[in-house]
Amino acid sequence: MCGIVGYIGYRDAYPIVIKGLHRLEYRGYDSAGVALIDKDIKVYKKAGKVSDLEEFAKGVNLHGTIGMGHTRWATHGAPSDRNSHPHSSGDRRLTIIHNGIIENYAVIKETLLAKGHIFLSDTDTEVLIHLVEDIQKETGLDLREAVRVALNKVVGAYAIVIMSSDDPDQLIAARKGSPLVIGVGEGEYFIASDATPIVEYTKNVIYLNDNEIAYIRRNDLLIKNIDNTVQTPYIHELDLKLEMLEKGGYDHFMLKEIYEQPRSIRDCMRGRIYPKIGKVQLGGIKEYTEKLKNVDRIIIVACGTSWHAGLVGEYLIEEYARVPVEVEYASEFRYRNPIITEKDLVIAISQSGETADTMAAIELAKEKGATIFGVCNVVGASIPRITHAGVYTHAGPEIGVASTKAFTAQVTVLTLIAFYIAQQRGTITQSKLIELLTELNEIPELVEKALGSNEHVQQIAEKFKDSRNCLFLGRGSSFPVALEGALKLKEISYIHAEGYPAAEMKHGPIALIDEEMPVVFIATKHSSYEKVISNIQEVKARKGKVIAIVTEGDTDVKAMADYVVEIPQTDEAFVPLLATIPLQLISYHIAVMRGCNVDQPRNLAKSVTVE
Ligand code: AGP
């Protein structure tokens, strides 16, 4: 939710900031702005994409070796020029960019209005910079101290960068609940919501912690916490390559990421599975082996696609490790009074590692004494840093807002966790584990094969691109795949879609079926095959149009479905990894045919750092 970039050094700041904003546009894209210091502060901002801002700023003075920029996902105030960041203090000395929400902004605004402050936007952010100005005016404090005092007064989440024309050799950055990374160069520093705008300039980064404030000059960095204690930062080395952030010849990041899945699944398994001896090794959680042997219950918390992966994990963990699993929407879990004990293991799944609700659910479970594992993709993000242990998915940066390779990597990690726990608890035989791991090892090749259906899927997409609704049905672990298929279609093509357990159709959704309604079935030759065939017949009897994902060589479903897409034969445990592929492709092609913005669908942002 909102991307922020800052630069202080010896180079021109504008190109660095703009390039960084393009990299962070996945976080929000309804308006953008920059501020540069060249003697005084210049602010350029505009509703629309970063490219609209670039167009707007053509021909103006863009000089300055200190700068910052923002790409917005609106929370307070509609997307508009005036609500775009940066925002300035009343006297124009101070300028701020902000990611997050100041929850008590209304109360603060009222007090400031009474003192005569005039606001030019509807945002909570502008209130914060006026508060800093007000504190300076009332107390005579210097900027560093005034920012610290102001941050002690606000409730909510923030990552901010502030610049001042009084002290044009300084940027002040702070975080609480929203990510912020500082890139450390020679005589220059970079600030960003994630490391992607930084990686081409330096590999050395500091992940700012919650409640820390960084005072940054060209040759000096001081980090203090909000209570004014000096902190010793740890410099991490980035393991990120520039080409991972480019489209690499594909029309969209989403398509590139769909095609990366054979590689991302392989990377996710590398060094973790030993098929010949039937062993799974997960270094990130190995200290918790005893806990896993005795665990009574596992609770999975996540949002969106990650929640769907959690549902697949539930099937696998219960099937192989025989531990009861509950899968919870993080946003619901955190506001209930859930029964959690020290015996519980909570697994938090998040691609970004920054989702606000998932983080809050973790904090709640931690307070109640549970052990928390994280399954995250972004290395160094907040969730891996607040969990006790975890397993990274290693899918590489996912830039398309619609999650694809992160989902299959999450499912792969959960498969490994299920086998790992089963191995520790002795609920799986060695020979079965050898058999399963041998097959799992083949999955990247089978995903490659499943991608071979692309052209055929594109032809099917052509037939259904004008549909207004769509149903996705599956049983067992194909039910979460159906949910994920429906979510993909909704989010990128704006077609209303629902995922259901196939058997539930008769309890309501069947009323929707007519000759206009496409129904996508996951109908592979596994335990519920015959039952799914009956459900397909029920749809056909009501003239629905059936698109079925089937095991290669299937003839029964082929005889009754309108269209089939084959996926390679595999063990039932791994069907989600293959059946997801044609569903991703169908949504992608429909969205392209409808002229939708595939990588940046309307109203969405990649990481939801507000609740
Ligand atoms: C998936 O396509 C979505 N963009 C969204 O549902 C996403 O999975 C959800 O916001 C959770 O994000 P996270 O995995 O980064 O926590």
Side-chain angles (χ1 to χ4, degrees):
M1 300 274 126
C2 305
I4 68 186
V5 190
Y7 175 76
I8 177 165
Y10 53 86
R11 313 180 206 218
D12 255 343
Y14 181 75
I16 297 171
V17 170
I18 282 292
K19 205 170 192 187
L21 290 183
H22 277 295
R23 293 251 161 85
L24 293 179
E25 215 169 9
Y26 73 87
R27 301 177 66 88
Y29 34 81
D30 58 44
S31 49
V34 290
L36 301 161
I37 301 187
D38 181 28
K39 295 193 195 85
D40 50 7
I41 299 179
K42 292 183 190 63
V43 173
Y44 306 102
K45 53 189 196 171
K46 193 86 199 119
K49 305 250 171 179
V50 176
S51 51
D52 296 315
L53 170 69
E54 278 181 284
E55 200 54 43
F56 172 68
K58 261 188 192 154
V60 301
N61 174 8
L62 295 169
H63 292 302
T65 51
I66 304 184
M68 62 189 193
H70 186 272
T71 177
R72 180 170 187 247
W73 185 87
T75 56
H76 294 71
S80 64
D81 292 353
R82 69 190 192 92
N83 285 331
S84 312
H85 296 215
H87 291 285
S88 301
S89 55
D91 58 14
R92 313 275 118 205
R93 275 183 314 113
L94 309 174
T95 301
I96 188 171
I97 50 174
H98 167 220
N99 167 29
I101 289 185
I102 307 299
E103 286 169 16
N104 58 342
Y105 86 102
V107 186
I108 300 173
K109 188 170 182 176
E110 222 167 277
T111 320
L112 293 173
L113 281 169
K115 288 181 174 183
H117 283 256
I118 296 167
F119 293 93
L120 305 179
S121 78
D122 310 315
T123 65
D124 49 345
T125 307
E126 191 185 12
V127 174
L128 178 53
I129 201 66
H130 276 248
L131 177 62
V132 176
E133 174 189 14
D134 194 67
I135 290 168
Q136 280 202 289
K137 208 154 98 194
E138 300 258 304
T139 61
L141 288 173
D142 70 5
L143 181 62
R144 290 184 173 201
E145 198 47 18
V147 169
R148 195 181 70 79
V149 172
L151 292 179
N152 271 296
K153 287 183 190 287
V154 300
V155 177
Y158 54 79
I160 55 163
V161 185
I162 292 178
M163 55 168 54
S164 162
S165 56
D166 286 349
D167 186 355
D169 180 33
Q170 177 177 237
L171 288 176
I172 299 181
R175 86 158 261 178
K176 185 182 175 195
S178 298
L180 213 50
V181 187
I182 298 175
V184 182
E186 299 262 332
E188 58 181 351
Y189 288 96
F190 306 82
I191 309 164
S193 300
D194 71 27
T196 58
I198 297 175
V199 65
E200 65 193 276
Y201 308 104
T202 176
K203 294 264 179 199
N204 296 328
V205 297
I206 296 165
Y207 295 101
L208 212 61
N209 292 309
D210 274 351
N211 296 314
E212 285 183 344
I213 309 175
Y215 306 103
I216 312 169
R217 296 191 184 281
R218 287 182 176 81
N219 285 302
D220 185 40
L221 169 69
L222 172 67
I223 299 180
K224 287 186 169 184
N225 74 11
I226 203 161
D227 301 325
N228 224 7
T229 324
V230 174
Q231 307 288 294
T232 314
Y234 177 76
I235 299 186
H236 298 255
E237 201 183 324
L238 285 177
D239 178 23
L240 188 66
K241 291 190 189 76
L242 208 52
E243 54 273 22
M244 291 172 166
L245 310 173
E246 316 279 343
K247 282 193 200 145
Y250 287 90
D251 288 343
H252 299 96
F253 279 110
M254 183 182 178
L255 190 62
K256 176 190 175 216
E257 287 156 8
I258 290 172
Y259 271 88
E260 275 178 340
Q261 290 173 107
R263 197 265 315 141
S264 55
I265 295 173
R266 201 173 289 119
D267 284 353
C268 178
M269 297 192 295
R270 182 164 297 123
R272 291 172 168 169
I273 65 167
Y274 299 87
K276 287 197 179 119
I277 54 169
K279 190 175 167 196
V280 177
Q281 193 167 284
L282 294 173
I285 58 172
K286 77 166 187 288
E287 278 175 44
Y288 288 84
T289 304
E290 278 312 304
K291 168 93 198 176
L292 294 175
K293 276 184 189 158
N294 303 308
V295 68
D296 286 344
R297 178 173 72 142
I298 294 174
I299 304 167
I300 295 179
V301 291
C303 303
T305 287
S306 299
W307 183 78
H308 298 157
L311 289 175
V312 177
E314 176 183 25
Y315 282 92
L316 295 166
I317 296 170
E318 291 195 342
E319 172 74 21
Y320 294 103
R322 308 303 299 150
V323 184
V325 179
E326 288 165 24
V327 187
E328 301 265 5
Y329 281 119
S331 54
E332 290 297 316
F333 180 81
R334 63 179 287 197
Y335 286 118
R336 284 210 324 265
N337 186 9
I339 300 159
I340 311 164
T341 74
E342 286 156 18
K343 288 193 193 151
D344 290 326
L345 169 68
V346 172
I347 302 179
I349 309 172
S350 174
Q351 186 286 129
S352 61
E354 301 291 348
T355 301
D357 284 321
T358 309
M359 288 182 56
I362 292 171
E363 296 294 1
L364 176 71
K366 241 174 150 181
E367 271 166 34
K368 300 198 180 232
T371 301
I372 325 283
F373 287 179
V375 173
C376 291
N377 192 38
V378 178
V379 175
S382 300
I383 290 177
R385 292 188 295 135
I386 60 169
T387 46
H388 295 114
V391 184
Y392 278 116
T393 49
H394 294 314
E398 189 179 67
I399 294 169
V401 165
S403 196
T404 52
K405 64 174 180 173
F407 174 72
T408 47
Q410 288 166 341
V411 169
T412 306
V413 163
L414 290 162
T415 309
L416 299 183
I417 291 178
F419 293 164
Y420 185 77
I421 304 176
Q423 180 184 270
Q424 307 306 327
R425 292 165 71 89
T427 52
I428 193 164
T429 63
Q430 198 69 5
S431 56
K432 183 70 187 169
L433 199 49
I434 289 175
E435 183 190 315
L436 286 168
L437 292 179
T438 306
E439 194 140 355
L440 181 59
N441 208 21
E442 299 296 311
I443 287 293
E445 279 78 54
L446 301 189
V447 169
E448 191 89 63
K449 223 171 150 191
L451 286 165
S453 67
N454 184 38
E455 270 179 33
H456 176 50
V457 171
Q458 194 171 0
Q459 285 157 10
I460 298 174
E462 180 66 46
K463 310 271 177 212
F464 294 102
K465 67 176 195 311
D466 298 320
S467 301
R468 298 186 58 203
N469 300 290
C470 188
L471 268 182
F472 287 76
L473 304 175
R475 283 174 176 250
S477 61
S478 291
F479 159 54
V481 174
L483 288 175
E484 177 59 10
L487 178 63
K488 287 293 87 92
L489 191 65
K490 276 186 268 217
E491 63 182 339
I492 62 167
S493 69
Y494 320 140
I495 293 175
H496 174 244
E498 296 289 342
Y500 263 92
E504 273 294 304
M505 180 185 62
K506 287 196 283 296
H507 300 281
I510 199 163
L512 296 168
I513 292 172
D514 59 17
E515 57 277 9
E516 301 285 304
M517 177 66 116
V519 184
V520 180
F521 275 94
I522 296 121
T524 57
K525 267 202 170 153
H526 294 102
S527 51
S528 310
Y529 182 63
E530 303 298 337
K531 306 264 178 228
V532 175
I533 287 190
S534 306
N535 298 138
I536 293 176
Q537 272 160 345
E538 288 154 10
V539 170
K540 285 311 302 170
R542 285 154 185 87
K543 301 194 169 54
K545 295 277 176 295
V546 170
I547 304 151
I549 311 303
V550 300
T551 308
E552 68 187 337
D554 181 287
T555 48
D556 297 350
V557 177
K558 217 175 233 172
M560 60 187 92
D562 297 270
Y563 301 93
V564 294
V565 182
E566 293 190 342
I567 57 170
Q569 162 62 37
T570 187
D571 189 282
E572 186 160 7
F574 311 128
V575 168
L577 291 170
L578 300 185
T580 301
I581 307 296
L583 302 191
Q584 294 170 342
L585 288 170
I586 204 161
S587 294
Y588 171 78
H589 288 301
I590 288 180
V592 171
M593 288 167 193
R594 288 167 72 94
C596 299
N597 187 336
V598 171
D599 285 334
Q600 294 174 345
R602 70 183 180 206
N603 304 337
L604 288 172
K606 183 77 182 157
S607 55
V608 184
T609 56
V610 295
E611 54 172 297

